[in-house]
Structures are given as structure tokens and as C-alpha cells.
Amino acid sequence: MGRTPCCDNKNGLKKGPWTSEEDQKLIDYIQEHGYGNWRTLPKNAGLQRCGKSCRLRWTNYLRPDIKRGKFSFEEEETIIQLHSILGNKWSAIAARLPGRTDNEIKNYWNTHIRKRLLKMGIDPITHSPRLDLLDISSILNSSMFQNNSPLWSSQINLSRLLGMQQQSLINPELVKLATYLFSSNQQQKNNPYLIIQQNNVQENQCFDNQVQDQMAPLVQTSQFQDILPFSSDAQLMQFPNMEENLPANYANFSTQNYQMNDYYVPMQQGSCDQFIVEKNDASEATTSTFQSNNTTNLSYQSVISNLSTPSSSPAPPNSTSKYNANSGSCINNNGDDRENMNYCSSMLKFEIPENIWDVDEFI
DNA sequence: AACTGTCGCAACCGCAGCCCG
DNA sequence: CCGGGCTGCGGTTGCGACAGT
């Protein structure tokens, strides 16, 4: 439209950091007259600033209801969850975080959370594991590609898959597939747990036995049996020393014994049509379970409380949500249709293709 | 102590949408 | 309906603080 910018310098308007005197003038004026009509406000308040600068200073810094200081774990987790739903809609995210401004959240995301997710091997945009960091050869050597695998008979064209490696970076379905293959590769090592070493995902095959030993009891408590992937006591029996290794205090256990870049994903393969997503608040960890309605189960659990500071999950108590894998919608026990399942899971999206064995469909 | 590189945050910039005459 | 003004939003930048050498 070609209108003149409101903040041109032809009037000698001041730019740059605000002084305390300017702040006080702005505060005094707004307290007396309220805000509105930002274009005329600076003149009336005796400020050599443009209205835009005044509005920004007020909304991002001087507003009395602004909460300063470090982000709490609850806030951080909320930001991650909301970002997985809303993307870079900082104002929308800020609207759900009382006292925080969009600018502050945006800065915090770019300087802390985004870097952390990248370091963990998670794409901060898609909130999915980054396929470009996966060792594709180890994926291809996974159980699914052994000649006794059901997939062997499906005549997969491996070179075709390799050729799609780059393209797969932008194909969400292939990302899902690779994620699943990746998990299967870990499972092949007769290990019920998958630790994603987020510092270097390429070294996933180097399983950290120490962490494994620490994590094993995590899922062996009666507290977790209801949300575990294992459908029977017999399956639970495959874990040794389940009573001895039980931590006295799970919350302390989860926050003190793990590195922030470790994820813990017990899995069993299977086809899934529909999942139940649960959040166990008593655990002070975010726990999500995907349970198929078939005979085989698949579960995903993320210990998210190791991100920064020990704290509790922001979700309301007793929140249980059902996630329909086909529609992608997430409905909690109050019947509210959540926009995205990530509200009740965590930063990692785990979606299992409806027909995982039909690999050709993804290529 | 001096220099250099990195990080974090406040502030700026430009664009888009809404409102109103 | 149209155009100008205002506001809000998201991306980017500049600079001070801090860490490392």
C-alpha cells in the first residue's frame, strides 16, 4: 500500500535501548491514561519514540503482569507441546502461558529449546526424530531385512529405498517408516528398551548398558503396569530383578539418574489401528502408551522430566486421552477434541503406519 | 590482562490483517 | 468497495555479557 513507516527517523525519534527515565514516563502515562492509539501516545507522554517502540516496550517489558526469570519445567514442557501443535505461533503460545510474552517465548525457543531438540536428534519443526541423523545402513541391517523376516518375502527393493534417502527427509511417511525400522533394529538385539542417544543418534547401536540397568526398573513397578506395553504378567517376567531395582522414589530417580539427552522407549512391534494415550501424572514424568486393539501391542514412553529441572507435568490430574491414529485427533476423557495428540504425549511424535508391513506403499 | 568467539536477549523491521471513514 | 491507518505478529539484528584461550 506504500504507506510511510511509523518509525522513520525524519522526526529524530530515538531508537535503541530504553532508559529508566523513558520507562518511567511510559509507565506513568499508561497508568494515568491507559494505553491505546500508540501513534499518539509517545507525543502525549513526552517520549521521543515511535508508537511501535512504545507498544513493544510496554507489552514485552513494562507490563505489570509480566513474569520475569527462568522458565520453569512446566512452562518449558508446555511450550514444546504447544509448539508441536501450533508451530511458530508465538502469540498463541504466549496466550497459554500467563505472564510470558511472545517475544520472550520466541527467544527462549530459539536459544534454548530449539538447540536442545537439535542436539537430541529431534527436528524442532516436525518434533520427529531426524532421519538425516540416522544410520541408514543399520536400519537396513535391522531384523526387518533379515531373510527370516516377514519383510524379506515382500521383495523390498533396497536400492530403491537407499535412493530415496534424501527424498525421505521431506516425506513424512518415510520418516515414520524409518523411525519404526530404527526401533526394530534396536529390538533385534533382544533388548526391550531403546535408548536414543540424542547427542549422536548415529551411535544408537552402542547401547548404554549402565543407563539400561538404571532404566529397567522404571517400567517394572506396579505403578506402571497399567500403562506398560506388556499385555500379560508373563511378558513382565522377562525383566530380571524387578523388585530389587525398584527406585524408592521414582521422581528423584527419573530426574537424577538420567542425562537430558536420553530417551527411553520400550517397544514391542505390532500393527496398530488405534491407540490409547495416557498421561501418568503421579510419576512426575510424561508417559504415553499406545496400545493397539489387536493382539499385539506397541508402546512408547518418554521420560521427559529429564529435560531440565525436576518438576511435575502440567497436565491436569487423571487426564486420559484416546488417540485415533487414523484421524490424528486426540480426545481426552472429557470428550474434548484436542487438536493434536502431542498435547498429551510429548515432544516426540510416534506414529505407526496403519500397515507397516506394506513397505512398498511408502516408497 | 587482553583478545576473541559465543550466547542471550531486547529491540527493530517489514509484512499482513483488521478496522473504519 | 476501496484505501489509509493502526495493530499485531514473526523473523532478524545489534550489542552487552560471559566464557575460553
Side-chain angles (χ1 to χ4, degrees):
Chain A
M1 281 191 260
R3 68 184 173 88
T4 56
C6 73
C7 298
D8 58 2
N9 289 321
K10 65 183 179 185
N11 294 327
L13 296 179
K14 191 180 172 191
K15 290 169 66 176
W18 281 62
T19 64
S20 55
E21 289 80 12
E22 289 176 312
D23 283 345
Q24 198 55 52
K25 277 185 179 179
L26 184 57
I27 293 170
D28 290 344
Y29 180 85
I30 291 178
Q31 280 179 345
E32 188 173 349
H33 302 94
Y35 56 82
N37 199 343
W38 291 106
R39 183 168 281 248
T40 59
L41 185 147
K43 186 182 176 183
N44 296 334
L47 289 163
Q48 294 295 107
R49 295 273 182 174
C50 72
K52 201 172 185 177
S53 181
C54 292
R55 181 180 60 83
L56 218 58
R57 184 64 178 172
W58 175 257
T59 55
N60 287 337
Y61 202 83
L62 298 177
R63 243 172 51 205
D65 58 331
I66 285 184
K67 187 196 295 181
R68 317 294 308 178
K70 275 192 72 174
F71 280 74
S72 67
F73 176 78
E74 287 91 346
E75 290 175 314
E76 190 171 305
E77 190 179 354
T78 302
I79 291 171
I80 294 170
Q81 291 171 343
L82 289 174
H83 186 272
S84 72
I85 300 168
L86 301 167
N88 290 0
K89 303 290 183 187
W90 306 118
S91 59
I93 295 173
R96 303 193 184 201
L97 283 167
R100 299 296 188 182
T101 69
D102 53 355
N103 204 41
E104 194 177 13
I105 293 170
K106 177 176 60 183
N107 284 334
Y108 190 72
W109 176 271
N110 288 328
T111 57
H112 293 92
I113 302 177
R114 185 176 171 275
K115 289 177 183 174
R116 185 176 299 168
L117 293 182
L118 285 171
K119 192 178 178 183
M120 291 159 63
I122 299 171
D123 189 324
I125 298 173
T126 64
H127 291 250
S128 299
R130 292 174 63 192
L131 184 61
D132 55 328
L133 295 180
L134 302 182
D135 183 352
I136 194 71
S137 62
S138 66
I139 292 173
L140 296 176
N141 286 330
S142 72
S143 63
M144 301 181 76
F145 295 95
Q146 304 305 310
N147 59 4
N148 58 351
S149 159
L151 273 182
W152 187 255
S153 58
S154 68
Q155 298 179 338
I156 296 170
N157 188 334
L158 296 186
S159 61
R160 217 169 133 205
L161 181 59
L162 279 170
M164 293 296 290
Q165 188 178 357
Q166 289 303 316
Q167 187 176 340
S168 67
L169 294 177
I170 55 173
N171 184 337
E173 295 304 316
L174 269 175
V175 172
K176 294 174 193 173
L177 171 62
T179 302
Y180 190 80
L181 297 181
F182 172 71
S183 305
S184 297
N185 189 35
Q186 297 296 320
Q187 191 176 4
Q188 175 66 13
K189 302 185 185 313
N190 235 356
N191 200 322
Y193 307 113
L194 167 63
I195 298 286
I196 300 176
Q197 296 289 340
Q198 289 135 356
N199 273 337
N200 187 348
V201 178
Q202 288 181 330
E203 293 178 2
N204 265 300
Q205 291 180 338
C206 302
F207 195 85
D208 187 333
N209 289 326
Q210 187 178 357
V211 176
Q212 177 196 2
D213 291 340
Q214 291 176 334
M215 293 300 295
L218 176 66
V219 294
Q220 295 168 8
T221 74
S222 57
Q223 178 184 358
F224 283 98
Q225 285 187 7
D226 290 341
I227 58 167
L228 283 177
F230 317 109
S231 56
S232 69
D233 292 336
Q235 286 178 301
L236 283 171
M237 291 294 287
Q238 64 186 284
F239 305 108
N241 307 320
M242 62 182 288
E243 294 300 327
E244 292 83 356
N245 291 331
L246 182 67
N249 183 316
Y250 168 69
N252 292 336
F253 177 78
S254 65
T255 55
Q256 291 176 0
N257 291 281
Y258 303 106
Q259 302 299 314
M260 56 170 270
N261 46 12
D262 284 335
Y263 264 86
Y264 180 63
V265 187
M267 302 190 75
Q268 283 205 334
Q269 70 181 34
S271 59
C272 304
D273 297 321
Q274 190 169 10
F275 306 115
I276 296 172
V277 182
E278 292 180 325
K279 191 166 187 118
N280 188 324
D281 294 280
S283 70
E284 299 206 0
T286 298
T287 304
S288 302
T289 298
F290 302 86
Q291 183 175 21
S292 84
N293 54 7
N294 292 334
T295 53
T296 53
N297 294 333
L298 178 144
S299 279
Y300 153 52
Q301 178 176 357
S302 71
V303 178
I304 194 172
S305 57
N306 52 10
L307 274 172
S308 57
T309 55
S311 184
S312 63
S313 164
N318 305 320
S319 64
T320 300
S321 305
K322 292 183 179 179
Y323 173 62
N324 187 315
N326 294 325
S327 69
S329 63
C330 186
I331 304 170
N332 67 8
N333 54 356
N334 294 324
D336 297 330
D337 197 354
R338 300 290 186 191
E339 294 176 30
N340 191 301
M341 63 169 287
N342 291 285
Y343 176 83
C344 47
S345 59
S346 75
M347 68 181 73
L348 259 180
K349 285 181 180 175
F350 262 69
E351 296 178 49
I352 305 303
E354 190 174 12
N355 188 357
I356 187 66
W357 304 111
D358 193 359
V359 176
D360 279 339
E361 290 214 354
F362 296 97
I363 300 176

